[in-house]
Amino acid sequence: MIDSNAANHEVFQGNAFPDLRVLYPDELQLLFSSADLISFEADEPVIEEGQKGESLYLVKSGQLLVNKRHEDNVYEVGSITPGDVFGEASVLYQGTAGAEVRAVDDCELYAVPAETVHMLFDSNERFLRATTQLAERRAAASALAVNPVFSTLPMAVREVALYNAKYVSVKEGEVIIHEGDEASFMFLILAGRVEISFQHPSELDSKIVVAEQGSGDELGEISVITGYPHGATVKALEPVRVLALRNACIAAWSGRYSDFGYALYGQVYRKLKENRAVLSAVLDDREARDMTINTIPSLEDYKLKHHL
């Protein structure tokens, strides 16, 4: 519910909203004049996952939770408190929300229209850069939290991963991983969807699509376990943003954190079984096995290698 047509200028003074410190006085005035004060009751959704982003929100009072759906589960991936901003990714990329934001208790928020935010992006490169970095960190933290492998790592390790990894943007139709390439990175999808396919072994102009994956899913992890070059091609079906993590880091975590090591092995074995099932419908089962589950080392050999 909107309580007023414009935000109270005094509320924005001082350090109430740290993310606005990079704005100049005239830019702040533009923000003040367009912001509306909105109230939400406890347990009321402010943003639903998949909803078109139309505003940047600034929290005046109350607490909110961020929940993200992945496969058949819903994960609590963060909280938002007074002084925080949210909704930045949807506004920045002019897309849909990647998670739900729900009020824990009665909340008051300032809603700044997306049009105003883009005007500020155009006038202040520092604000654009800071907002982009915030959106990337939040997307990566959410993806790590819902991923069945990375969620087993201690939060401190996941935070270190966010700062040591590379953020990569891929256009629709571009290839992220080429079948047969040497593997140096494992990827985590932050946004967008990809297609995973195998080159048909006897029909050189044909491919066999085995899966599609999206936000929160990992790519390239099979090569980490098998030690072989990438066995499949991964192509972006739409604009995709990924977090690239060096295989050396993945291998180190596998030996240091047993839950992570076992989760990674289990995820790879599951994917190889699923790929085999799809390939067996097109190829001889022995050929399908050689391309998939026959490439993975035994669990005992894996445990021995990583001292699990």
Side-chain angles (χ1 to χ4, degrees), residues 96 169-174 176 189 191-195 212-215 235-241:
T96 57
S169 293
V170 183
K171 296 179 181 178
E172 179 180 349
E174 287 188 347
I176 302 171
I189 303 174
R193 294 197 63 77
V194 302
E195 171 193 88
E212 289 186 11
Q213 292 189 309
S215 176
K235 184 178 74 173
L237 296 175
E238 58 192 46
V240 170
R241 188 76 169 159

